[in-house]
Amino acid sequence: MPAELKVLGACPLDCPDGCSWVVTVRDGKAVRIRGNPDHPYTRGALCAKVNRWLERAEQPDRLLHPMRRTGRKGEGRFERVGWDEALDEIAERLEGVVREHGGEAVWPYWGTGTLGYLQGLEGYSGRRFFNVLGASAHDANICSAAGAAGLEATIGSPGGMDPQDLAHARLLILWGTNPLTSGHHVWAFVQAARKAGAHLVVIDPVRTRTARQADEHLAPLPGTDAALALALLHVVVGLGAQDEEFLARRTQGWEEFRARIAEFPPERAAEITGVPADRIRALGERLARTRPTAIRATQGIQRNAGGGSTLRVLASIPGVTGDWARLGGGLSFSTSGHVKLNKAALYRDDLRPRPVRTLSMSRLGEGLLDVRDPPVKALFVIAANPVGSTPHQGRVRRGLAREDLFTVVLDQFPTDTVDYADIVLPATSQHEHTDLHEGYGHLYLTWNEPAVAPPGECLPTAETFRRLARRMGLEEPSLYDSDESLAEQLLDSDHPWMAGVTLDRLREEGFVRMSVPDPFLPYADGFPTPSGRLEFRSALAAAAGADPVAGYTPPAEVADAARAARYPFALVSAASHESLNTQFANNPELRRRRGGPSVRLHPGDAERLGLRDGQRVRVANDRGAFEATLELTDQVRTGVAATAKGHWPKLSGGANANAVVDERDTDLGGGPVFHDTRVEITAIPDDQEDER
Ligand SMILES: Nc1nc2c(c(=O)[nH]1)N[C@H]1C(S)=C(S)[C@@H](COP(=O)(O)OP(=O)(O)OC[C@H]3O[C@@H](n4cnc5c(=O)[nH]c(N)nc54)[C@H](O)[C@@H]3O)O[C@H]1N2
Ligand SMILES: Nc1nc2c(c(=O)[nH]1)N[C@H]1C(S)=C(S)[C@@H](COP(=O)(O)OP(=O)(O)OC[C@H]3O[C@@H](n4cnc5c(=O)[nH]c(N)nc54)[C@H](O)[C@@H]3O)O[C@H]1N2
Ligand code: SF4
Ligand SMILES: [Mo]
């Protein structure tokens, strides 16, 4: 065996970039990790967080053995037990719950800790096991459900442009997305467009790292983007710059949408968004004269009550200008809609003994406290940290503290959620197991070969469920399929875009581009909607109880005048540079760089309230509160408070931003409304601070 090996793998994190990585292994130990220089999207670089991947896996707080709770729920006191004992106890409790309350009393709560098809969310590792039990289905809607549903109702799927083709745009609008923090590999293509003369606009209530690089930055109030977009189209149509031929041949509902556009002159949009009318008019004129225009919007823009409608209107812009027909024109959100793997073969939902109800990931508090017939009696938390990530933290904690709830958590670290587990099972890290990935920001599939043996008694999630199935004596043979066999079944797709994408090639080359046409104009032959056209008017939206015509749905709390009088700031809690959701938030070096939770305000807003830079503050509303250090900066627009997601509550005074976020659905898709939250900010008196 050679002394040094290079093993190709895939970053498993919930990030559009889906990087391919190279792990150097010396004497059985992983000694170096770097971005794959041969991958056209990764281009040799990882990111500030994942450069520390190997260090993270060796942190002293890594979970290495199964544990059983000894303290109260939430306290985090455990004793070590063996795998046999842990699996016996789980099997017995689970059989009891299914016997007494039925399979639907079991909730497999999968998170986004890994997006792998074999170990994580994309394939819902263990899904076959839960299907055999007849467990409740899990709607993993916490991230991009609203936008995906809005796009499905408009262009047929969340597919959109290949982000690499942003390089061909001449006007590029980064809309409610902060890629220099949340997925920086797209930047090479943004820069290529600029080199060729493209004008770059960023639309974000905060002058982010990304906005600071742009030619132009507009700062609307959160959740008001659809009004802004309609006003841009008002200018386009006023100039007669719409593409009549495209509208006639490729769209449905133009007359109604046109009437909607007429309701939003720039002056009205200025009132709603807080962006001056002359700036809206100027951008509208630029949009009218610049072909092709590309819009890149990711998840940040759809975390408010109108998130689905917003993506409907944004995807309608290239429908009006005809840019969907041009390379470098259109909209890019997530390429996941283009991935044509045989997911049904992996999921095997046909194994369910009968149809089952679906529980919403974003409503864990409700699911544990209010849902009946049957109530949830057994909860499996798999690669998720809902105490840190899910809306309305106080309710989530109350739900998890229920004495009659049996909770199993599979994780790598002792998170706030682990503290509520009855049984904790230690999971492998990506370079210790096998997996297959897509990247939702590109068109490659990536293979992850294990580089080293797992530490301690850690097991891959898929293997954990094989062992649990055996322990319970389940006879369905497909529960015991190996990782390789699962990958083969997933790749067994007859869609032309999957031609030539084989397990052998993936293993050999590390990544394979899907066989999409080149150049990639996904809607050249029509849209995958019921009408085959871009649907300004959508029956799907109507069936979901939303306005059938794409339009502006105001944010719930941001636009609520009564609430604004009580809670003056609209809080956004976006991606932090130093963590990936709650992952890496316990890494000592990244914690040191990041500092504790902060909240940023415009100096003018702070002055009115007598608040000082650097002061300790309480960010609160009627749902809860978290503590932070106040930072005054004109990078945040007035009326907005900016903080970051992902802090571990137990490392930050007991709560994070989700203490104040409501458990409420978006207009389409049932997504959460993280960036549609009103708060007050008050100083914590110095003496109180000393007591802490
Ligand atoms: N470093 C790092 N990278 C990450 C993550 C992370 O935690 N850290 N998280 C990953 C995950 S899970 C996801 S889903 C993506 C999310 O990445 P993004 O899609 O970039 O989402 P956010 O970070 O939530 O918000 C992006 C920007 O949108 C702005 N914004 C908020 N509300 C609105 C609005 O209503 N309108 C407009 N125009 N702007 C708004 C925020 O101020 C923020 O600057 O990033 C992934 N990448
Ligand atoms: N306030 C606010 N909250 C937010 C957001 C926001 O914008 N604002 N964004 C939301 C978004 S976009 C998302 S995607 C969610 C994410 O929320 P979650 O799905 O809860 O994701 P993480 O916080 O990353 O927690 C994932 C856990 O999985 C574990 N893990 C990682 N890999 C594996 C593995 O291979 N096996 C197992 N068993 N465990 C593993 C990690 O150690 C970690 O504890 O958070 C949401 N929360
Ligand atoms: S988090 Fe994103 S940018 Fe960083 S390595 Fe993973 S896929 Fe690449
Ligand atoms: Mo996400």
Side-chain angles (χ1 to χ4, degrees), residues 139-487:
D139 184 3
N141 52 21
I142 205 159
C143 183
S144 47
L151 292 177
E152 196 188 341
T154 315
I155 57 170
S157 93
M161 295 174 69
D162 178 353
Q164 290 187 216
D165 289 332
L166 296 176
H168 303 294
R170 288 301 164 263
L171 170 59
L172 184 47
I173 307 180
L174 301 180
W175 207 326
T177 181
N178 182 15
L180 285 180
T181 281
S182 57
H184 70 88
H185 292 86
V186 77
W187 200 248
F189 305 96
V190 172
Q191 289 295 67
R194 297 180 89 184
K195 236 187 185 155
H199 182 81
L200 178 66
V201 181
V202 169
I203 303 182
D204 193 310
V206 180
R207 200 159 76 247
T208 57
R209 219 177 254 268
T210 306
R212 297 199 287 278
Q213 300 291 322
D215 298 304
E216 196 178 337
H217 170 222
L218 302 185
L221 280 169
T224 64
D225 304 273
L228 178 59
L230 288 163
L232 296 178
L233 288 174
H234 191 279
V235 178
V236 169
V237 173
L239 293 168
Q242 69 271 27
D243 184 334
E244 293 290 358
E245 200 206 322
F246 188 90
L247 285 165
R249 287 185 50 228
R250 293 281 187 221
T251 72
Q252 151 178 303
W254 169 234
E255 281 318 311
E256 288 143 291
F257 188 54
R258 186 183 185 133
R260 172 107 343 135
I261 291 169
E263 296 165 16
F264 286 86
E267 286 68 25
R268 180 171 176 218
E271 255 170 57
I272 294 171
T273 62
V275 176
D278 57 335
R279 305 237 11 228
I280 299 176
R281 195 165 289 111
L283 182 56
E285 286 164 4
R286 191 183 284 278
L287 172 62
R289 67 173 182 263
T290 315
R291 305 275 70 76
T293 290
I295 298 168
R296 167 84 173 157
T298 51
Q299 292 78 17
I301 195 172
Q302 44 101 67
R303 307 202 199 286
N304 55 72
S309 303
T310 301
L311 264 297
R312 282 199 24 77
V313 176
L314 261 53
S316 296
I317 293 176
V320 175
T321 60
D323 274 332
W324 277 122
R326 299 183 181 92
L327 188 67
L331 172 123
S332 149
F333 175 75
S334 160
T335 49
S336 55
H338 296 318
V339 179
K340 304 297 181 188
L341 290 164
N342 192 350
K343 297 180 196 179
L346 179 68
Y347 297 166
R348 292 297 311 273
D349 289 343
D350 59 298
L351 294 174
R352 288 176 178 144
R354 63 193 72 84
V356 297
R357 70 178 175 195
T358 299
L359 298 171
S360 162
M361 180 174 184
S362 304
R363 290 176 165 274
L364 178 58
E366 177 190 80
L368 296 180
L369 295 171
D370 302 336
V371 164
R372 298 278 171 271
D373 298 323
V376 175
K377 289 286 187 177
L379 177 73
F380 276 72
V381 180
I382 306 156
N385 182 8
V387 174
S389 302
T390 304
H392 210 153
Q393 208 153 73
R395 269 170 68 77
V396 170
R397 283 191 190 279
R398 281 202 297 286
L400 289 172
R402 264 179 45 201
E403 278 306 329
D404 64 328
L405 177 71
F406 176 63
T407 302
V408 179
V409 179
L410 284 73
D411 207 309
Q412 302 158 337
F413 290 97
T415 63
D416 291 84
T417 305
V418 163
D419 289 348
Y420 288 88
D422 292 284
I423 299 283
V424 182
L425 300 176
T428 40
S429 176
Q430 182 80 346
H431 62 298
E432 301 154 1
H433 61 223
T434 303
D435 219 329
L436 172 66
H437 287 256
E438 66 183 61
Y440 61 91
H442 58 60
L443 296 172
Y444 303 83
L445 296 175
T446 314
W447 182 252
N448 182 76
E449 189 72 19
V452 297
E457 296 181 278
C458 293
L459 281 184
T461 305
E463 177 60 19
T464 297
F465 285 107
R466 284 191 281 261
R467 293 195 187 187
L468 187 56
R470 189 160 293 124
R471 187 70 47 158
M472 292 176 71
L474 300 178
E475 281 170 6
E476 166 55 39
S478 69
L479 297 181
Y480 301 99
D481 288 349
S482 67
D483 289 348
E484 283 71 18
S485 160
L486 292 171

